[in-house]
Amino acid sequence: MSRRPLAQINTSALLHNVQIIRDLAPNCKILAVLKANAYGHGLLAVAAQLKDAQAFGVARIDEALMLRAGGIVKPIVLLEGFFHADELSQIVASNLQVVVHHMAQVDALVKAELESPIHVWLKIDSGMHRLGIAPDDFADAYQKLSKSPNVLQPMRLMTHFACADEPDHPATLQQLAVFKQTIGDAIGEISIANSAGVVGWPQSHGDWIRPGLALYGVSPMTAGRSAQHKLRPMMTFSSSVIAVRPVKKGDAVGYGATWIAPRDTRLAIVAIGYGDGYPRNAPCGTPVLINGVRYPIVGRVSMDMTTVDIGDAEIEHGAQVVLWGEQLPVEEIAELVQTIPYELLCNITSRVQFRYISD
Ligand SMILES: *Cc1c(COP(=O)(O)O)cnc(C)c1O
C-alpha cells in the first residue's frame, strides 16, 4: 500500500454507472461530461473507458484538444461554445461541436468562413439565467443558424437546469415548460438533463442526456447518496498514518490550538492535508475510515497532515486511512464541509498519486 495520498480510480465502477444511467434513460444517447479533468478522475483515462457514450462534453477548447491529442475520435461538444471567432478554424480542424448560447456567437458563426460546416447545439435560457439565448431571441437565432452554410442541419436544441437536484423544486417544471414553449415545432434533437435530470426528472430525458457527476458514482441529488441510485463511487481517496502518539487531557492539538483533548487519548497523524485537496474547513468530527472503522478528525487540517482521535484502538504506523470512497460517501464529507461533492472531487491536487484499477 502506497504511503502517499492516493486517488484510486475504479474503472469497473464507471462502466457500472454507465449501465445504471442507460437503464434510467434507455432511449437516450449519452453525452458524457468530462470537464475539469473528468471531475478530477483523469480526462483521458475516463474517456478511454466510455465506449458506450455517443459524445463527450467539455467546458473549454483545451480540454477538447487534450482528448484529440490522446487519440479520442468521438464527437466532442464545447459546452460553452467558442469564446472568440478565431477559435473556429481549430474547431473545424479538430472536428469539435459547439454550444451556441449567445446572439454574438450566432452572428460570429454565421459570418465566419469555415472549411466545412459544424454541429451546433443551440442553448436556450429557460430560467437559469447563466448561459443561453433568451426565449424571445430563439426564433431569430434558429432562423439565422438554419440558413447558414456553416451549420450542419438540423442543429440540436438544449437547455440546462438550475435546481434539478431538489426533487420538489418548482423551477424545474417551469424550465421544462419554458423550453418546450420556446422551441415550439423547431426541428432538432433535444438535450436537457444533467445527472439530476437523469435521476430525478424522467420527463426531461429528451434525445441526449448529459450526465457528469453520476458517471463518477456520486449522487447528484441534494442530501442524496450514491447507493440510493445504485451508483458506485469511482474514487477512493486515501492516505496513511505516519505517526501514532498519546495526548493528555487538556492538551491542545494543531494550529490555533482549536481542539483540546477532553480525556487522555491517542492520535493518529495522517499524511493528508489541504495541499492534497482535503478540505481545510473539515470540522472536528469529520469521519475517516481506518481498518474499516470510522474515527473523527480533530483540530485543524493543515497543508500536509490531519490528526485523528483513535482512542485506544490498535492502529499502526502505515495503516491506510480512507478520506472518502465506497465505504465513506464523498456526499457525506461534502455536507460536513458545506460544499458539494463536485468541488471536493475537482480539488484533488497534482501531488496525489492516481492509480487505475478494475474489479
Ligand atoms: C457540467 C454540465 C453537465 C453535467 O452536470 P452534472 O450535474 O455533473 O451531471 C451537463 N450539462 C452542462 C451544460 C454542464 O455544464
Side-chain angles (χ1 to χ4, degrees):
M1 188 50 71
S2 165
R3 298 287 167 95
R4 278 170 60 195
L6 174 70
Q8 182 164 281
I9 309 292
N10 185 339
T11 55
S12 305
L14 175 66
L15 301 183
H16 167 88
N17 298 333
V18 171
Q19 193 53 52
I20 296 287
I21 289 166
R22 274 219 171 293
D23 292 347
L24 284 165
N27 302 316
C28 297
K29 290 184 265 195
I30 298 181
L31 191 166
V33 179
L34 303 181
K35 62 201 184 195
N37 193 30
Y39 293 43
H41 292 71
L43 177 67
L44 283 169
V46 169
Q49 295 292 324
L50 281 172
K51 309 249 181 321
D52 259 13
Q54 279 69 36
F56 294 146
V58 295
R60 305 196 183 141
I61 193 166
D62 50 320
E63 296 172 322
L65 297 179
M66 270 187 253
L67 285 168
R68 288 285 181 255
I72 300 294
V73 297
K74 259 190 216 300
I76 300 175
V77 181
L78 298 175
L79 294 171
E80 289 151 28
F82 54 95
F83 294 6
H84 193 275
D86 63 12
E87 292 163 2
L88 282 166
S89 57
Q90 179 78 75
I91 284 167
V92 171
S94 299
N95 190 22
L96 308 180
Q97 308 187 7
V98 294
V99 167
V100 168
H101 58 76
H102 196 283
M103 285 311 285
Q105 285 179 326
V106 173
D107 294 334
L109 180 53
V110 166
K111 236 176 46 196
E113 287 182 24
L114 302 188
E115 298 264 329
S116 53
I118 58 177
H119 275 293
V120 166
W121 300 62
L122 182 57
K123 182 169 188 171
I124 296 158
D125 174 17
S126 58
M128 184 169 182
H129 301 131
R130 191 179 56 181
L131 293 185
I133 302 279
D136 284 348
D137 293 333
F138 171 76
D140 184 26
Y142 187 83
Q143 268 290 320
K144 285 177 172 160
L145 294 170
S146 298
K147 286 191 293 204
S148 171
N150 288 336
V151 178
L152 285 166
Q153 304 296 337
M155 67 197 108
R156 282 126 187 188
L157 306 172
M158 67 179 283
T159 193
H160 193 59
F161 284 143
C163 305
D165 55 326
E166 297 179 52
D168 302 316
H169 204 295
T172 301
L173 292 179
Q174 274 166 25
Q175 284 196 263
L176 273 173
V178 168
F179 180 72
K180 288 207 171 112
Q181 202 196 348
T182 302
I183 65 172
D185 53 10
I187 292 165
E189 290 179 329
I190 284 170
S191 178
I192 305 170
N194 55 1
S195 296
V198 172
V199 167
W201 303 87
Q203 63 274 61
S204 74
H205 288 176
D207 299 298
W208 288 84
I209 52 172
R210 303 191 308 271
L213 194 66
L215 289 171
Y216 309 104
V218 178
S219 173
M221 305 307 280
T222 302
R225 295 289 183 270
S226 55
Q228 281 165 244
H229 321 294
K230 303 196 175 69
L231 297 168
R232 282 185 64 192
M234 271 187 92
M235 181 191 293
T236 299
F237 188 31
S238 68
S239 190
S240 57
V241 172
I242 56 170
V244 174
R245 53 162 303 156
V247 286
K248 292 242 175 278
K249 179 176 174 173
D251 285 349
V253 174
Y255 284 120
T258 57
W259 188 74
I260 313 284
R263 56 186 154 74
D264 291 357
T265 187
R266 288 159 66 250
L267 301 180
I269 316 303
V270 183
I272 195 77
Y274 60 81
D276 305 298
Y278 190 72
R280 181 176 176 279
N281 62 333
C284 274
T286 301
V288 300
L289 276 185
I290 309 177
N291 301 329
V293 178
R294 286 174 174 234
Y295 298 95
I297 71 166
V298 294
R300 276 203 190 133
V301 172
S302 44
M303 185 184 288
D304 315 298
M305 284 176 277
T306 297
T307 43
V308 176
D309 183 1
I310 57 171
D312 47 22
E314 296 270 340
I315 287 169
E316 303 197 341
H317 192 134
Q320 190 204 21
V321 180
V322 172
L323 307 159
W324 59 71
E326 204 138 22
Q327 307 305 320
L328 183 57
V330 67
E331 296 94 322
E332 183 178 340
I333 306 301
E335 283 166 19
L336 286 167
V337 305
Q338 293 174 36
T339 184
I340 51 176
Y342 300 78
E343 188 185 23
L344 294 181
L345 297 172
C346 287
N347 274 355
I348 292 188
T349 65
S350 59
R351 77 170 174 178
V352 172
Q353 182 188 352
F354 274 67
R355 181 193 294 154
Y356 293 86
I357 60 152
S358 59
D359 59 25

